[in-house]
Amino acid sequence: MPLVSTDAVLGPARAAGLGAPAFNVLHLETAEALVAAAERAEVPLILQISENCVRYHGSLLPLLRATLTLAEASEADVSVHLDHITDAALLREGVSAGVRSVMIDASALPYEENVATTSELTGWCHREQVYVEAELGEVGGKDGVHAPGARTDPEQAFAFVEATGVDALAVAVGSSHAMRERTAVLDKELIRSLRQRLPVPLVLHGSSGVPDGELRAAVGAGMTKINISTHLVSVFTGEVRRTLSESQSLIDSRKYVGPAREAVSREAERLLRMLGAPAS
Ligand SMILES: [Zn+2]
């Protein structure tokens, strides 16, 4: 199966009450690991490349083209998405290169400016058949939906979706970005209210800090897109560290990156099955 749209992943998942895991691509090996995981799990996958990752590589196109190529060649349903995009030029570059899904992150702006910027870019994206996720980050200060104390108000979220026309919304329900421990507790009651009030799929950012049981409960309460990055990054690095500590003479980078790729693939497969597979 070829590259699919994010709508084709999130729409059916939302209707079925399933989760749709979205994992971040850091380099070619993570993209390979994640696509292989989706093929084994037979669960649709969203691969995402963040603006931070583009900054690390110094440009978007090499990693994006490789990721699109892997998605197109995969037997699994794979969508490719740009994550946390604040730069409109980068958005346009990605769309010219074939991306049809993006998160517009204007959440650092005051509410009215977030609405104005998100609406304008969403209008452009929809004319280009690009799926749009956005973030409402007014509560809890500058970290928006990623601040642990932040909570999204269902009525304001509804007004935001109506005003901007976005296709999916990142909401604040108790998780925060880049947590190293999986200890977050989510507000399931709020997730249920948001699911009832909003006509679009809900997105959980900062899911790396959320333990398995809480992630399953969040999906059960109506969360759809589950963004996980840091957790898989730590699996990768842990395996690199383990392999290198076992052999001081090892110099071929494939001999430690390869096992790390395999470890990420196994953990991603486990998460895909846990969150995105129908109960059998
Ligand atoms: Zn995020």
Side-chain angles (χ1 to χ4, degrees), residues 48 83-84 103 105 133 135 145-146 170 177 204-206 227:
Q48 37 189 42
D83 187 29
H84 281 288
M103 179 204 184
D105 185 354
E133 171 188 337
E135 169 172 327
V145 302
H146 306 106
H177 257 178
L204 185 66
H205 281 244
N227 286 10

Side-chain angles (χ1 to χ4, degrees), residues 64-82:
L64 175 61
R65 288 200 176 122
T67 303
L68 288 167
T69 301
L70 283 166
E72 282 158 5
S74 176
E75 287 163 21
D77 285 349
V78 182
S79 135
V80 176
H81 173 85
L82 298 181

